[in-house]
Amino acid sequence: MGTGSFAQNQPTIIPIETRRNALVLQTDKENHLGIIYFGKKLSQSAEYKSIPSQSRQHDGNAGIYNSAYTPSGTWSVSEPALQLTHGDGNKSLDLVYVSHKTTKENDNVSVTSIVLKDPVYAVEVTLFYKTYFQENVVEQWNVIKSEEKNPVTLQKYASANLYFIAKDYYLTHYNGTWAKEMNPEEELLTAGIRVLDSKLGTRANLFQPPSFSLSFDKPATETEGKVLLGTLAWSGNFKMDFEVDSYHNLRLIAGINPYASEYPLASKQEFKTPSFIYTFSENGKGEASRNLHIWARKYRILDGEGTRMTLLNNWEATYFDFNEDKLSELFKDGKKLGVDLFLLDDGWFANKYPRNNDQAGLGDWQENIKKLPHGIGYLVKEAQKTGIKFGIWVEPEMVNPKSELYEKHPDWVIKQPQRPEHYMRNQLPLDLSNPEVQNFVYGILDKLFTENPDIAYIKWDCNAITFNAYSAYLEKSKQKQSQLYVDYVKGLYKVLEKIRAKYPKIPMMLCSGGGGRVDYEALKYFTEFWPSDNTDPLERVFMQWEYSYFFPAITQSAHVTDWGKQPLKFRTDVAMMGRLGYDIVVSHLNEKDLKFSQEAVATYNSVKDVIFQGDLFRLVDPKKNDYAALMFAAKNKSKAILFSYLVGNRNGDGSDTPFRLEGLDASKNYKVKELNLYPETKSALKEDQIYSGEYLMTVGFNPIVNARRTSVVVEITVVN
Ligand code: GLA
């Protein structure tokens, strides 16, 4: 083991600290960089020196397990973070510490960069740790650089390599498929490697998102336990290895999936990995997710600290069957409802192969002259005349084989040249590794915005995964086919970057036939995402709950639709927990339903800031109870909105046992008032009842849901 050529040094200790936590790195006698500590930060950082040097990890036979970035082919035989082939064909890699520095971006944000080098080959890796001090969030990525004469081939090039020491490890991960997204499973990790991954390409998260929570010692609850929330900011194939090693310590390696993705690195070129983002809390999942939300709104999500518009979408109201008259009626319906925006969905484009169903037309982004003889511009104006803004659906990365685009540019399509095509929803992804395709996709949006500067919203869809991964462009330009999965995502980001440079503010929804694509790189460009095509509100209580561990309410689009068996009030209450929208036929609402909905939109507008920017407390877990309860509390504790839903009806009784509220000021008094009552129903709560914050957070409160009253929204307002 070891490099031989490096003299024994004093250990270098590098603490990566946030307000509460520390990740401590240390060099060993051979200058290999290991992780010696992860967890609550010590008040005297000098004491990190006293942490034993992990000598039990120095196992002459098996190498060092706690490496901060595990190389392969030399002294380590553990799962690598970086695996490559040098220009001369040699596959060995060693990485030793060279230097590090910390740069302060401002009072809250610092970046520590650590340079590691191979002592034999001209390969260098810089590890970056960006800390968001107050929020206890760390963003980690690496830059790999080669100065070898011949190109190096990267086989595995992870974003993060972490090391944890605890009694036990409980991993919560998510699985699902279309309309069944975000089903959590918690498992005790046992010896060996547990892998979370995706090989789906474009719609990478259809079966599994790159987000997880990891509890140490015992499963964390909302309010107790050590827990890490982690997520990879990458909109493509990912892989996360959780390896419980021979000492029952846990190695985590997270990054782009190496599957079919060998990536060439020419001399003097750099490869920047995506970011792995995590936060750690000693006080349970609630605190961890609140930290992540604050970070995300402040530093990551486009317009994260802004607001969002309410909307009426026509997808489920009309599907592909509409014309100008019908749409004009819908604008009026939207206005009547009181929403800010009308969102025109799929079906407005293509002429040779009109987009009248999902089998044709995708790729041909000209208005369909039969449905829209006066074009989009006319619609935007009509909507404005009615007093409502106009937004539009696009699916710019995809093509139907039955389209002019496909006929004209078959080489722009991802498909194997010698094999039958394989479709999902009758369509194929375009090859975004190709700069021409990037320009085409950019051009779709640019044209829409240039011709119609008043377009106020975009829904960006992506409905197919990547089969038959092959790029005619990479072939022609003599690049490697194995670049495709990565270059696709890079191409997508290039397009989004260019769109945002010219149109920085316009809200865009990241939709992928449901939650097929959501991560913190995409959310730099998008204001919100579509969690699932399943809008059955009962399902949404569960799904939105799970998404809320990682993504704040301001990013979760939630529409009132006709899915499910719940009454309109229940459907509305659930959609109010995110960015509220409607996808119903407003003219089918009876008088009471319409009145209720109009009032709901107005009520929502008066409280949505608390939902978007407040702290979220998940109080009663629907997976373990007959009902769910959660609340959003304004930062200054002056107001909170509490939601409760009956989710299990075995007894039909719900529960009236008080549960403890959170996020209030114990020394203040609060008025409790039910919102969103259905016309002619009376609240079961005592009118204007006053409670102290202490009472609400110690004894508790229950707004009572049962078979006759299945959902409740309560406003809690400070009085003195
Ligand atoms: C996807 C979206 C839906 C709708 C349809 C249109 O399934 O998730 O909301 O936009 O496409 O074809």
Side-chain angles (χ1 to χ4, degrees):
M1 181 175 77
T3 65
S5 60
F6 278 67
Q8 183 169 334
N9 285 339
Q10 279 291 30
T12 302
I13 297 184
I14 311 170
I16 314 284
E17 291 182 322
T18 59
R19 185 162 55 93
R20 291 273 181 78
N21 307 317
L23 164 73
V24 184
L25 306 153
Q26 192 191 59
T27 54
D28 69 4
K29 58 184 186 328
E30 283 156 333
N31 256 336
H32 291 133
L33 188 68
I35 294 171
I36 56 163
Y37 181 74
F38 180 94
K40 187 174 169 206
K41 120 174 155 190
L42 301 181
S43 43
Q44 298 175 44
S45 58
E47 277 201 304
Y48 293 131
K49 280 203 185 73
S50 315
I51 296 176
S53 66
Q54 301 293 308
S55 53
R56 67 197 174 111
Q57 273 80 48
H58 290 65
D59 179 326
N61 297 318
I64 303 165
Y65 294 149
N66 68 334
S67 172
Y69 203 56
T70 314
S72 82
T74 52
W75 49 266
S76 172
V77 287
S78 300
E79 180 65 31
L82 182 59
Q83 186 182 4
L84 51 75
T85 305
H86 296 286
D88 64 2
N90 186 287
K91 289 179 187 297
S92 67
L93 176 72
D94 190 9
L95 292 172
V96 295
Y97 167 82
V98 176
S99 64
H100 77 280
K101 63 168 195 253
T102 299
T103 321
K104 239 176 148 41
E105 283 189 6
N106 55 46
D107 276 356
N108 196 42
V109 184
S110 307
V111 181
T112 300
S113 55
I114 308 172
V115 179
L116 309 177
K117 258 194 174 138
D118 189 321
V120 175
Y121 283 89
V123 169
E124 184 182 292
V125 178
T126 309
L127 312 179
F128 290 87
Y129 299 85
K130 187 168 188 173
T131 54
Y132 299 84
F133 191 79
Q134 286 301 332
E135 297 78 19
N136 298 299
V137 169
V138 179
E139 180 181 354
Q140 230 186 291
W141 72 94
N142 312 305
V143 172
I144 306 160
K145 197 173 156 190
S146 156
E147 301 224 357
E148 292 185 23
K149 213 168 77 230
N150 295 321
V152 164
T153 305
L154 303 176
Q155 264 103 23
K156 185 175 185 188
Y157 31 101
S159 300
N161 188 166
L162 288 166
Y163 191 70
F164 311 105
I165 300 174
K167 191 173 149 289
D168 280 311
Y169 313 92
Y170 291 85
L171 175 66
T172 303
H173 51 94
Y174 297 87
N175 63 75
T177 183
W178 179 78
K180 295 190 181 77
E181 292 84 354
M182 287 304 269
N183 299 297
E185 269 186 72
E186 179 161 57
E187 65 184 90
L188 171 70
L189 293 175
T190 55
I193 302 184
R194 175 70 168 93
V195 173
L196 305 181
D197 80 333
S198 165
K199 305 183 191 75
L200 307 183
T202 33
R203 200 176 166 182
N205 310 151
L206 181 60
F207 301 149
Q208 189 158 66
S211 305
F212 64 88
S213 78
L214 181 64
S215 300
F216 302 97
D217 300 333
K218 58 181 189 205
T221 66
E222 288 297 324
T223 50
E224 283 178 349
K226 297 180 199 141
V227 65
L228 177 140
L229 297 179
T231 184
L232 188 75
W234 181 247
S235 313
N237 294 349
F238 66 88
K239 181 164 187 256
M240 297 176 177
D241 306 299
F242 297 83
E243 179 176 13
V244 176
D245 71 17
S246 324
Y247 299 97
H248 202 66
N249 298 328
L250 179 67
R251 309 177 67 240
L252 167 59
I253 295 169
I256 290 176
N257 198 335
Y259 166 76
S261 292
E262 284 194 346
Y263 206 89
L265 187 63
S267 191
K268 301 211 161 51
Q269 260 185 11
E270 292 186 347
F271 186 94
K272 184 177 177 210
T273 70
S275 292
F276 177 68
I277 293 156
Y278 67 85
T279 185
F280 172 76
S281 167
E282 292 233 313
N283 305 309
K285 294 181 180 183
E287 184 180 277
S289 71
R290 283 187 292 279
N291 281 335
L292 200 55
H293 293 176
I294 296 168
W295 166 82
R297 286 187 297 241
K298 187 157 183 197
Y299 295 105
R300 202 67 171 199
I301 299 156
L302 188 78
D303 199 23
E305 291 186 312
T307 188
R308 297 291 183 269
M309 287 184 279
T310 53
L311 59 84
L312 174 66
N313 189 192
N314 70 311
W315 176 238
E316 292 182 19
T318 65
Y319 293 104
F320 298 94
D321 180 20
F322 54 81
N323 56 30
E324 285 174 350
D325 289 345
K326 229 182 194 177
L327 292 178
S328 293
E329 285 308 306
L330 296 182
F331 300 158
K332 287 183 204 144
D333 284 350
K335 179 67 188 166
K336 205 194 290 171
L337 202 54
V339 294
D340 302 309
L341 180 112
F342 176 82
L343 169 60
L344 175 59
D345 214 284
D346 196 355
W348 58 267
F349 49 90
N351 288 298
K352 183 170 175 192
Y353 303 105
R355 180 75 172 167
N356 291 330
N357 52 48
D358 63 16
Q359 285 162 27
L362 208 52
D364 301 345
W365 298 101
Q366 301 78 34
E367 292 98 328
N368 178 280
I369 47 168
K370 273 213 182 114
K371 288 184 203 173
L372 308 179
H374 300 95
I376 297 294
Y378 167 80
L379 290 180
V380 179
K381 287 213 181 69
E382 277 298 290
Q384 280 174 333
K385 261 196 242 158
T386 319
I388 196 165
K389 293 191 165 85
F390 183 86
I392 196 161
W393 178 97
V394 288
E395 194 178 358
E397 298 160 77
M398 297 281 160
V399 65
N400 283 128
K402 232 172 139 185
S403 67
E404 291 185 76
L405 179 68
Y406 184 99
E407 288 175 349
K408 224 163 126 193
H409 295 291
D411 56 325
W412 282 9
V413 180
I414 294 181
K415 58 182 179 119
Q416 285 289 348
Q418 294 169 320
R419 295 185 189 280
E421 293 174 2
H422 196 83
Y423 310 122
M424 180 169 197
R425 212 188 184 213
N426 315 301
Q427 65 192 55
L428 294 165
L430 294 173
D431 177 8
L432 270 176
S433 73
N434 182 344
E436 269 177 31
V437 177
Q438 293 165 16
N439 284 340
F440 169 77
V441 172
Y442 170 77
I444 299 167
L445 277 294
D446 191 40
K447 181 164 175 279
L448 273 173
F449 293 142
T450 316
E451 289 177 2
N452 312 288
D454 286 344
I455 285 184
Y457 186 91
I458 293 287
K459 175 175 175 184
W460 178 306
D461 217 332
C462 169
N463 280 301
I465 64 172
T466 309
F467 296 108
N468 284 324
Y470 177 91
S471 158
Y473 164 75
L474 289 173
E475 201 60 33
K476 208 167 138 204
S477 56
K478 300 204 163 44
Q479 301 186 66
K480 293 218 158 58
Q481 285 301 326
S482 58
Q483 290 172 238
L484 180 56
Y485 285 121
V486 172
D487 283 356
Y488 184 96
V489 181
K490 286 187 176 176
L492 174 66
Y493 294 155
K494 262 194 204 155
V495 172
L496 291 166
E497 195 67 48
K498 209 166 147 190
I499 291 172
R500 282 314 183 188
K502 193 159 170 196
Y503 309 101
K505 289 235 165 78
I506 183 148
M508 293 209 297
M509 185 211 288
L510 172 62
C511 177
S512 187
R517 178 155 76 184
V518 53
D519 64 83
Y520 273 123
E521 196 61 23
L523 284 173
K524 281 181 175 172
Y525 308 103
F526 290 90
T527 46
E528 55 210 75
F529 71 99
W530 184 234
S532 176
D533 274 356
N534 189 341
T535 46
D536 177 333
L538 200 51
E539 293 304 319
R540 279 297 188 109
V541 169
F542 290 83
M543 269 185 214
Q544 292 173 204
W545 179 283
E546 298 305 328
Y547 274 120
S548 82
Y549 285 105
F550 308 98
F551 304 106
I554 193 168
T555 62
Q556 293 206 40
S557 309
H559 292 181
V560 176
T561 71
D562 288 330
W563 282 58
K565 300 189 185 76
Q566 308 300 322
L568 181 66
K569 172 169 163 55
F570 192 110
R571 290 183 266 148
T572 309
D573 289 353
V574 172
M576 278 172 108
M577 293 192 299
R579 197 277 292 126
L580 172 71
Y582 286 81
D583 200 346
I584 49 170
V585 184
V586 177
S587 58
H588 289 178
L589 295 177
N590 65 33
E591 209 178 305
K592 272 195 208 163
D593 279 353
L594 179 64
K595 181 163 184 276
F596 167 74
S597 302
Q598 289 166 329
E599 286 172 0
V601 172
T603 303
Y604 177 74
N605 283 333
S606 71
V607 299
K608 67 182 181 185
D609 272 2
V610 179
I611 294 164
F612 291 159
Q613 302 299 337
D615 278 333
L616 169 64
F617 297 88
R618 286 170 298 259
L619 304 173
V620 181
D621 187 342
K623 300 188 292 299
K624 299 186 185 133
N625 298 275
D626 276 351
Y627 67 108
L630 61 162
M631 67 188 281
F632 298 89
K635 286 261 157 0
N636 64 9
K637 300 177 192 286
S638 64
K639 192 182 274 294
I641 309 295
L642 169 69
F643 294 88
S644 186
Y645 307 96
L646 185 72
V647 296
N649 206 3
R650 287 179 65 193
N651 316 316
D653 283 342
S655 163
D656 53 9
T657 313
F659 52 83
R660 289 177 172 183
L661 306 195
E662 292 185 60
L664 304 174
D665 184 338
S667 66
K668 298 256 163 77
N669 287 319
Y670 290 88
K671 186 172 80 185
V672 168
K673 184 181 164 208
E674 185 165 349
L675 300 181
N676 238 21
L677 280 163
Y678 192 78
E680 292 167 31
T681 55
K682 278 188 90 184
S683 174
L685 307 182
K686 265 200 223 141
E687 209 167 304
D688 291 340
Q689 174 88 34
I690 308 276
Y691 299 95
S692 70
E694 183 192 24
Y695 178 93
L696 291 170
M697 296 196 294
T698 311
V699 177
F701 172 78
N702 192 328
I704 307 173
V705 285
N706 55 40
R708 293 161 303 286
R709 179 182 152 80
T710 53
S711 72
V712 179
V713 185
V714 177
E715 181 182 46
I716 301 161
T717 314
V718 77
V719 284
N720 54 43

